Amino acid sequence: MPTLPVNQPASFLYNLPSMSNPPPANTSPTPLVEIHRSPNVLTFTLNNPDHGNEVTGPMFDAMLAELQSESSQPRARVLRIRANGKVFCTGRERAARDEQSVHAEVSRLIDFKRLVRTSSLISVAEVQGDAFGFGMGLAIVTDFPLVADTASLCFPEMTHGFAPAAIMAYLGEYALPRFAFPLVLFGQPFTPQKALEIGLISQVVPAANLSAEADKLIARIVQLDPGAARRCKEFFLTAQSNSFEKNCALAAEALTAGTLAALASKK
């Protein structure tokens, strides 16, 4: 199992049993997602490697609960998303069979990605292996997707007869349409270097160095002033959806509030 950053003690919060046969007596069930907290870092570790780290309904529910808790009462500074096994994530569970349950299922996955993106936590995806479909879409909405140079990336939904609407809802904000549309239309695998060139990820890292690079990035984030970091992310996201004139007005308000907060902290 990957290690957490140095000096970041963790406590185990969730242990979701796998969907395979019940374990023998006196043994612990295999966790499908491990959720750890330290003073500054909230870590989600996908642990469903026998099924390509596919994200199931209970996994979504557990992670959503933590993000919703952070929204109402911020405690951590960084959200770290990683996975055990050879792949990062090759999709999500499609268990629903009727219109109502299908809508609930897809709404849950969209809510999860929305919360990852809009959370006050600075998010880091540690993509150590292949990321397909939902897995790649999840990495993109984090603030810092770090991808191992050996990984294969793909949006394969169209090859299975699905238009990947959840991904297309935001893909054009990270890559120019001329680059992004062919990736979702044809569903062919592409390299981390290609993803970096068109703006989908932050960094391509030698696989052996990925965890250490994530540790260093998280350490830099934690050194920032907590309030300023939250305000920076909030304004950055807000500015993307506004006009220049609107952003100028908001900037005056934000700079005033930031200056007053900085002055107060020096008293």
Side-chain angles (χ1 to χ4, degrees), residues 27-259:
T27 62
S28 299
T30 302
L32 289 184
V33 61
E34 299 168 1
I35 300 181
H36 297 80
R37 277 190 178 275
S38 70
N40 292 312
V41 183
L42 171 62
T43 302
F44 296 162
T45 303
L46 308 181
N47 192 36
N48 192 15
D50 291 342
H51 296 88
N53 279 322
E54 177 185 87
V55 179
T56 67
M59 294 167 71
F60 274 123
D61 290 339
M63 293 186 289
L64 272 167
E66 284 300 310
L67 292 177
Q68 289 163 348
S69 175
E70 280 292 330
S71 295
S72 60
Q73 186 179 2
R75 288 165 286 170
R77 304 275 305 282
V78 176
L79 171 64
R80 184 176 193 170
I81 302 178
R82 62 200 322 196
N84 289 330
K86 295 182 179 180
V87 306
F88 174 69
C89 177
T90 57
R92 50 97 178 175
E93 181 183 50
R94 297 175 184 268
R97 292 295 180 268
D98 61 82
E99 182 177 356
Q100 183 176 358
S101 56
V102 168
H103 187 270
E105 190 176 74
V106 298
S107 295
R108 178 174 54 191
L109 82 90
I110 291 171
D111 283 346
F112 177 64
K113 290 197 286 187
R114 178 181 57 80
L115 279 176
V116 170
R117 177 175 174 175
T118 61
S119 169
S120 62
L121 299 171
I122 307 298
S123 52
V124 178
E126 191 177 322
V127 183
Q128 91 290 3
D130 297 350
F132 301 159
F134 171 79
M136 185 57 190
L138 172 59
I140 291 172
V141 295
T142 63
D143 298 308
F144 294 95
L146 309 183
V147 181
D149 57 357
T150 53
S152 179
L153 312 176
C154 188
F155 300 113
E157 286 84 351
M158 283 290 288
T159 63
H160 301 288
F162 295 100
I167 294 169
M168 290 189 289
Y170 56 83
L171 189 63
E173 296 184 18
Y174 298 92
L176 292 173
R178 295 298 184 197
F179 294 120
F181 185 58
L183 298 181
V184 294
L185 181 65
F186 299 116
Q188 295 177 331
F190 53 97
T191 65
Q193 188 60 42
K194 175 69 172 179
L196 180 66
E197 290 172 358
I198 65 176
L200 292 183
I201 65 174
S202 300
Q203 191 175 346
V204 179
V205 183
N209 301 339
L210 182 64
S211 184
E213 285 296 319
D215 287 347
K216 289 192 292 185
L217 174 59
I218 290 170
R220 290 182 63 191
I221 296 170
V222 170
Q223 289 174 355
L224 300 171
D225 177 82
R230 291 191 178 96
R231 291 191 296 271
C232 183
K233 179 172 179 179
E234 179 182 8
F235 191 90
F236 187 83
L237 291 174
T238 299
Q240 289 180 292
S241 59
N242 289 331
S243 67
F244 175 72
E245 292 299 327
K246 177 67 173 178
N247 283 336
C248 287
L250 291 175
E253 297 175 7
L255 287 170
T256 300
T259 301

